[in-house]
Amino acid sequence: MATARNGAIDKIRRERTFARKAELLARLEAVPAEEDADVSTIPDERLALLFTCCHPALAVDARIALTLREVGGLETREIARGFLVGETTMSQRLVRAKRRVREAGIPFRVPPDEILPDRVPDVLRVIYLVFNEGYAASDGDALVRADLCAEAVRLAKLLCVLMPDEPEAFGLLGLLLLQDSRREARVGPDGELVLLADQDRTLWDRRAIDEGLRVLRRAEAHGRPGRYQLQAAIAAGHAEGTDPQTIAAVYDALLQIDPSPVVRLNRAVAIALAGDVAKALDLIDRLDELDGYAYLHAARADLLRRLERDDEAAASYRAALALTDNAPERRFLEGRLREVEGRDVRA
Amino acid sequence: MKYAMLVYGDQSAWAELDEHDAARLRAESMPRWLALFEEMGKADPAVEGRELEAASDAKVVRVVDGERVVTDGPFAETKEQIGGLFVTTLPDLDEAIRIAALVPAAETGSLEIRPVVER
């Protein structure tokens, strides 16, 4: 009797889950073609693979590495650079991660509804990092690897379709679209890096900006802010020419959610843009844990240059150069280094 | 996939209770254990589970240079000891995590899920 009842309950549960999956699949296919023609053709297996690669039983590093390798299709060498480890180390990490997926019985599927919300942040983070890898590839002459960025945008769109009530999925998509909108303007005619303030705004992709803003508004309508929505709000602020003080205030909110060193660095840069260079420099000088991060030294160098502390600026540019092998970034840093060295000689 | 689920807990806390309180706590948690066993049985009718006597009753055996050395347990300094274990065959790790979270002892101690090597 009890067994029969339990069997019936199981059957109802299964049917409910199936109905939900069918509904999601139908919605996936209903995505308007003009949004992104590729979305409807992505096989569901790819999403299952994404969730498998992002399973919490794997170490975070392994999740990211595995996703970049298996879903993003990056070379082991590229992933190794992204992680600042040797190629052999990364290769071993990937082998161990794959073995763990197999031996621990990590399922290959999109998680069922009851555990889906727990798994989404990991997937969001990995997509974000895939985009980052594409946006500022760590070597070679191509500053922007459009294919990886497009891949990340596609995956973010897919998540939005699958999780229409998850504001952070939309926040992430908005962020990526807004960042990606500046792709053409970020690199000058000779392949050099062009900073935001110096970019030719006519090169910004207006359509991507509009889509990003629309997606962000949809995310914010839920009234549940998160790190991706806040970062998207910052990117939106840059796109719309919002005043630097307002942008710095959004960074304050982001810091509450994510007090990581990189956010603290970016907030310091925002404070400098808002006019308080001395405070920004003081904040950056306290970020010892980012000593191996090229952008810390580049940001510090820029502040020192603006304060005309040229000797110190030159030392920081050299420190940044020692940590980056991205050719456009190197050209940019070398140009600035010559500038402060020249000024130094004159003085 | 076959999984071993090792139940960790602070057994000394149990040992300090008087008989009456221990019996009361056992009775209180019994419905949840029964619910667990029913759920485990549904997931895997061949599930095996054993509760272990306190680690303070353990004997630790080593062979050092061919000599048998027997000492009293517990030999580990950690507060949490294995108090029991399940061996069960489940479809995947997510199901193992779901079941493990149903074990009442997971709230006071922890459950360690270890895939069993099958060659």
Side-chain angles (χ1 to χ4, degrees):
Chain A
M1 181 63 196
T3 315
R5 193 188 59 222
N6 289 337
I9 290 168
D10 280 350
K11 187 158 179 284
I12 290 165
R13 268 200 208 119
R14 271 198 305 275
E15 281 168 1
R16 259 195 217 137
T17 310
F18 179 76
R20 172 98 177 116
K21 293 262 165 62
E23 188 193 322
L24 287 170
L25 282 173
R27 227 184 275 149
L28 199 60
E29 276 156 22
V31 168
E34 57 88 20
E35 286 268 303
D36 184 348
D38 291 342
V39 168
S40 59
T41 60
I42 291 175
D44 201 34
E45 283 72 27
R46 189 148 208 206
L47 194 67
L49 183 61
L50 191 57
F51 273 100
T52 303
C53 292
C54 298
H55 197 280
L58 298 168
V60 173
D61 283 356
R63 293 178 214 172
I64 295 164
L66 203 56
T67 304
L68 289 174
R69 184 78 192 87
E70 300 298 317
V71 187
L74 267 72
E75 300 292 334
T76 304
R77 178 183 55 84
E78 295 171 300
I79 307 169
R81 280 180 186 277
F83 279 91
L84 307 172
V85 301
E87 193 176 341
T88 314
T89 307
M90 183 51 65
S91 174
Q92 285 164 350
R93 187 179 297 173
L94 283 163
V95 168
R96 275 200 304 271
K98 283 183 210 168
R99 192 192 300 142
R100 188 160 170 82
V101 169
R102 200 169 55 243
E103 289 177 354
I106 292 175
F108 177 77
R109 59 151 193 223
V110 177
D113 293 353
E114 63 273 19
I115 52 175
L116 201 53
D118 288 344
R119 300 281 164 83
V120 172
D122 293 322
V123 174
L124 291 170
R125 182 163 166 218
V126 166
I127 295 173
Y128 175 75
L129 291 170
V130 169
F131 183 88
N132 263 359
E133 181 65 25
Y135 203 61
S138 49
D139 74 339
D141 284 315
L143 181 67
V144 174
R145 290 182 45 183
D147 51 342
L148 269 181
C149 292
E151 170 78 17
V153 168
R154 205 155 53 228
L155 290 167
K157 280 187 179 174
L158 192 65
L159 263 195
C160 289
V161 171
L162 188 71
M163 308 205 73
D165 298 322
E166 173 50 64
E168 279 292 85
F170 287 86
L172 176 67
L173 177 58
L175 172 64
L176 301 191
L177 286 167
L178 288 163
Q179 298 277 45
D180 208 29
S181 72
R182 295 196 285 268
R183 186 198 296 174
E184 294 297 320
R186 280 182 85 231
V187 188
D190 301 319
E192 76 279 14
L193 182 73
V194 183
L195 294 189
L196 185 64
D198 306 323
Q199 286 174 9
D200 175 359
R201 297 185 171 219
T202 62
L203 292 176
W204 289 2
D205 180 350
R206 197 61 232 178
R207 194 162 157 266
I209 290 173
D210 289 343
E211 194 185 350
L213 293 173
R214 199 169 63 239
V215 167
L216 176 60
R217 273 198 300 275
R218 182 162 172 191
E220 288 174 341
H222 286 91
R224 286 186 282 143
R227 67 178 62 199
Y228 295 109
Q229 291 172 74
L230 289 169
Q231 287 182 72
I234 290 163
H238 290 311
E240 295 184 305
T242 306
D243 68 281
Q245 282 79 13
T246 304
I247 292 176
V250 183
Y251 268 110
D252 290 344
L254 181 58
L255 195 68
Q256 298 300 311
I257 293 178
D258 177 13
S260 67
V262 172
V263 169
R264 281 154 63 204
L265 172 61
N266 288 330
R267 175 171 169 264
V269 172
I271 286 169
L273 286 172
D276 199 342
V277 178
K279 183 184 175 189
L281 189 60
D282 180 48
L283 289 170
I284 286 177
D285 282 342
R286 283 189 239 159
L287 288 169
D288 291 340
E289 56 269 61
L290 288 184
D291 204 44
Y293 190 57
Y295 295 119
L296 174 105
H297 297 284
R300 188 166 186 276
D302 190 56
L303 299 185
L304 290 165
R305 179 183 64 87
R306 289 167 61 179
L307 294 169
E308 298 188 3
R309 287 159 63 176
D310 292 334
D311 278 347
E312 292 166 89
S316 284
Y317 280 124
R318 286 190 204 101
L321 276 163
L323 290 166
T324 185
D325 48 15
N326 179 299
E329 288 177 5
R330 286 192 67 85
R331 273 198 288 280
F332 171 81
L333 293 167
E334 281 159 0
R336 282 282 160 93
L337 177 59
R338 277 195 299 277
E339 185 191 326
V340 292
E341 281 175 340
R343 241 176 15 191
D344 202 31
V345 170
R346 277 199 310 275
Chain B
M1 291 288 303
K2 188 177 266 191
Y3 296 95
M5 293 184 191
L6 312 179
V7 184
Y8 282 87
D10 180 4
Q11 290 182 316
S12 62
W14 266 115
E16 283 162 17
L17 294 174
D18 66 40
E19 226 168 272
H20 176 76
D21 284 344
R24 187 175 53 80
L25 280 179
R26 255 181 231 289
E28 267 176 27
S29 65
M30 199 44 74
R32 296 184 55 210
W33 282 100
L34 292 176
L36 168 73
F37 297 150
E38 190 185 339
E39 192 69 23
M40 282 186 136
K42 267 195 286 179
D44 172 20
V47 60
E48 285 189 68
R50 292 289 183 271
E51 184 180 355
L52 305 180
E53 290 291 353
S56 53
D57 293 332
K59 295 290 176 200
V60 179
V61 179
R62 289 189 188 83
V63 176
V64 182
D65 296 331
E67 290 287 319
R68 193 178 70 192
V69 181
V70 181
T71 53
D72 285 343
F75 55 92
E77 290 301 313
T78 51
K79 219 171 149 84
E80 293 203 334
Q81 304 286 342
I82 293 181
L85 75 163
F86 297 99
V87 177
T88 179
T89 302
L90 297 169
D92 57 50
L93 183 63
D94 284 348
E95 179 69 352
I97 291 170
R98 185 184 72 83
I99 299 270
L102 297 175
V103 177
E107 280 170 28
T108 48
S110 60
L111 264 284
E112 184 176 318
I113 300 170
R114 299 278 293 267
V116 172
V117 176
E118 291 177 284
R119 295 203 169 90

